[in-house]
Amino acid sequence: MTTVTTAQATAILDAAQEKAESMGIKQNIAVVDAGANLLAFRRMDGAWLGSIDIAITKAKTARFFDMPTGDLGELSQPGKSLYGIEHSNGGLISFPGGIPLMDGDGVIGAVGVSGSSVEDDHAVAQAGVTALD
């Protein structure tokens, strides 16, 4: 199985932090490998302590289901087919900020970001993803 490397994870953290700094926000940024194991983590100075676990869980959720957490959120609304899924797997996050990491062979891990609005979290996570390009 192909997985994100430590060097790639560091580049993802750097790109995400750079984006967060340009936005004037403080974020927690997590990268998990293909097995959904935490590979790298960065807490920007002053980022919320309560968002540490959220960033890690967003990354794991994105890898568990190989889709952005915001997409999972749309599928888990009342009346939708995945309603209640947040209670599985020891707890999931189903709002934006987690994005799978892809290479030519498929999903190699995921990034999760938390510490601001979900729109900001998603933008910072997306900036991390671009470090793989």
Side-chain angles (χ1 to χ4, degrees), residues 14-37:
D14 290 345
Q17 180 172 344
E18 183 178 318
K19 176 67 172 179
E21 288 171 346
S22 76
M23 297 169 69
I25 57 178
K26 301 168 185 173
Q27 298 280 42
N28 291 287
I29 308 155
V31 177
V32 297
D33 64 15
N37 302 294

Side-chain angles (χ1 to χ4, degrees), residues 38-89:
L38 183 63
L39 178 63
F41 179 83
R42 183 170 299 161
R43 178 176 171 258
M44 293 174 64
D45 293 341
W48 291 331
L49 294 173
S51 289
I52 293 170
D53 181 65
I54 296 170
I56 294 168
T57 304
K58 283 182 181 184
K60 288 182 176 183
T61 300
R63 177 57 187 113
F64 286 160
F65 297 96
D66 295 340
M67 70 175 71
T69 53
D71 292 356
L72 183 64
E74 291 178 21
L75 297 170
S76 64
Q77 295 301 305
K80 299 288 185 167
S81 61
L82 297 180
Y83 180 65
I85 196 168
E86 300 89 358
H87 304 291
S88 71
N89 295 286

Side-chain angles (χ1 to χ4, degrees), residues 66-125:
D66 295 340
M67 70 175 71
T69 53
D71 292 356
L72 183 64
E74 291 178 21
L75 297 170
S76 64
Q77 295 301 305
K80 299 288 185 167
S81 61
L82 297 180
Y83 180 65
I85 196 168
E86 300 89 358
H87 304 291
S88 71
N89 295 286
L92 302 173
I93 301 288
S94 60
F95 44 83
I99 303 175
L101 300 169
M102 309 283 288
D103 73 0
D105 297 323
V107 180
I108 60 171
V111 59
V113 176
S114 183
S116 185
S117 68
V118 294
E119 295 82 10
D120 289 350
D121 293 353
H122 181 79
V124 171

